[in-house]
Amino acid sequence: MTNILDKQKFNITSQDGEDGILKYLINKFHINKSLVEIGSHNGEWLSNTYNLWKNNSFKGLLMEYSKEPYNDLKLKYGNYKNIQIIKQKVLPSGINSVDEIVKKNCFFERPGVLSIEGTYLNDCFAHDYHILEYMNYLKPQIIIIGHAYNIPP
């Protein structure tokens, strides 16, 4: 049996149909047109948010900690007015918590989407559960947790 979300799946840059599922949820519910992404890589590779900020005018805060992907992201998309790109490691608490990072970067909107993609890279050191556990300020409407691309969901 196929559920309604399975029928919505399609990929632009996402891995498992998330682009289509997000489009469906955003159109069905009143989702804010803003996002925060941890582990943006180069902005495109297996991205669940690329289509939102690139083609749908979402305002975004994109974080990438790895040097080469960050440089690629900044070079290719650094002139986009609707996104802010920062080189940032995210930890569950303290000055590198997602709450403190968004405040420090003046991202005061409630994000429609929070995407945590760096769980197997250097961005958040596999602390995705703890990042969410300690998150008090940021209240996203949709949360996406990525998985290692070489391990099926």
Side-chain angles (χ1 to χ4, degrees), residues 30-140:
H30 298 287
I31 303 299
N32 295 341
K33 292 188 78 167
S34 61
L35 61 91
V36 173
E37 182 172 59
I38 301 169
S40 297
H41 199 265
N42 67 359
E44 296 175 30
W45 187 66
L46 303 179
S47 175
N48 293 319
T49 66
Y50 171 83
N51 185 47
L52 300 178
W53 57 262
K54 177 81 163 70
N55 300 319
N56 292 285
S57 304
F58 270 61
K59 179 181 176 185
L61 177 61
L62 308 180
M63 301 178 222
E64 176 56 48
Y65 187 63
S66 298
K67 184 180 179 179
E68 286 184 36
Y70 167 79
N71 289 341
D72 291 345
L73 177 63
K74 192 76 170 169
L75 180 66
K76 193 165 185 179
Y77 300 110
N79 63 337
Y80 278 60
K81 303 284 187 233
N82 61 320
I83 58 171
Q84 183 179 357
I85 301 167
I86 60 172
K87 187 175 188 305
Q88 182 69 54
K89 174 177 30 174
V90 179
L91 296 173
S93 60
I95 62 171
N96 288 328
S97 71
V98 69
D99 281 346
E100 294 304 315
I101 293 165
V102 296
K103 289 178 199 174
K104 179 175 68 178
N105 287 279
C106 301
F107 195 86
F108 300 119
E109 293 183 42
R110 179 182 184 195
V113 178
L114 168 65
S115 180
I116 302 176
E117 293 296 323
T119 55
Y120 51 94
L121 300 171
N122 293 324
D123 304 292
C124 59
F125 296 94
H127 293 300
D128 45 359
Y129 168 80
H130 299 289
I131 287 169
L132 295 174
E133 179 182 30
Y134 289 99
M135 192 172 65
N136 295 308
Y137 172 76
L138 202 64
K139 304 287 186 201

Side-chain angles (χ1 to χ4, degrees), residues 2-12 14 16-32 48 51-52 56 58 112-113 141-142 144:
T2 304
N3 72 37
I4 194 155
L5 294 181
D6 283 335
K7 294 177 184 175
Q8 306 304 317
K9 289 182 176 183
F10 67 81
N11 295 317
I12 294 173
S14 64
D16 292 307
E18 294 91 340
D19 286 319
I21 293 169
L22 281 171
K23 179 181 178 183
Y24 170 78
L25 293 173
I26 289 163
N27 289 336
K28 182 154 180 70
F29 303 102
H30 298 287
I31 303 299
N32 295 341
N48 293 319
N51 185 47
L52 300 178
N56 292 285
F58 270 61
V113 178
Q141 294 169 290
I142 298 172
I144 304 167

